[in-house]
Amino acid sequence: MRQQAVVQTWPAGAGPVGLDVADDASRLFVADWYSNQLLVYELGAADPAAQITRIPVGRAPAGVAALPGGHTAVVAERDDDSVAVVDVATKRVRARLRVGTHPFALLHDAPRARLYVLNVQSDDVSVLDIGNLDQPRLLATVKVGKAPYGAALAQGGTRLFVSNQHADT
């Protein structure tokens, strides 16, 4: 019988914000806003909370996108106006790319090796090519409504829906 209840709680730094799970469910990635780090939990461990890796990233990490295989994640570094490609094995930032002002949410489009970055203060979406993780490229910047915070892909990835918090759209 299913229960609608919390089954476990783990410590998650000083201010957990964004999170994502690897496609194979092996790892959980959590952005720790106040400690400027990415927390990585090994979900297959007997006690996943004890199997944590802490990787330093830029200021005020917000959104997280786990890339296929669970060995790499992208983190929105909100106060640095950049995104960081993080390598879990080496515990370091593999690449960094400037985007719009105050990136917050990320949406990964795996079939097209794209990453959509929602920039809440510049009111736009940065479209990145992440086919080469050592050299991500900015493909486009698309103006949207005021304070974009959420996004979803539809119609086979041909349409991107964006919520604009301060435009009520």
Side-chain angles (χ1 to χ4, degrees):
M1 181 174 184
R2 291 170 59 150
Q3 292 180 320
Q4 295 182 357
V6 174
V7 295
Q8 191 172 15
T9 302
W10 303 333
V17 179
L19 71 154
D20 200 5
V21 175
D23 59 350
D24 63 359
S26 63
R27 293 188 169 125
L28 171 67
F29 299 90
V30 180
D32 183 356
W33 179 280
Y34 296 116
S35 297
N36 300 324
Q37 60 187 350
L38 177 67
L39 309 177
V40 184
Y41 298 86
E42 300 293 337
L43 297 179
D47 179 8
Q51 300 295 318
I52 190 170
T53 298
R54 298 172 186 274
I55 303 170
V57 294
R59 295 180 303 147
V64 178
L67 301 187
H71 303 288
T72 307
V74 180
V75 178
E77 300 171 321
R78 193 194 82 130
D79 288 356
D80 290 329
D81 299 334
S82 59
V83 294
V85 178
V86 179
D87 185 301
V88 175
T90 63
K91 298 181 183 178
R92 67 175 185 83
V93 172
R94 182 174 174 172
R96 185 169 271 122
L97 184 66
R98 300 274 304 168
V99 292
T101 307
H102 282 33
F104 192 83
L106 303 176
L107 177 63
H108 181 225
D109 179 3
R112 281 160 284 289
R114 299 285 185 265
L115 186 75
Y116 299 96
V117 182
L118 283 71
N119 305 304
V120 299
Q121 284 195 345
S122 54
D123 303 327
D124 54 30
V125 174
S126 299
V127 181
L128 309 184
D129 176 349
I130 57 169
N132 179 347
L133 293 174
D134 292 317
Q135 295 181 321
R137 293 183 308 120
L138 177 65
L139 296 176
T141 300
V142 180
K143 286 304 257 184
V144 293
K146 190 157 181 61
Y149 269 98
L153 282 169
Q155 298 176 339
T158 63
R159 181 152 304 183
L160 178 68
F161 288 91
V162 175
S163 65
N164 302 297
Q165 182 187 37
H166 297 159
D168 299 330
T169 62

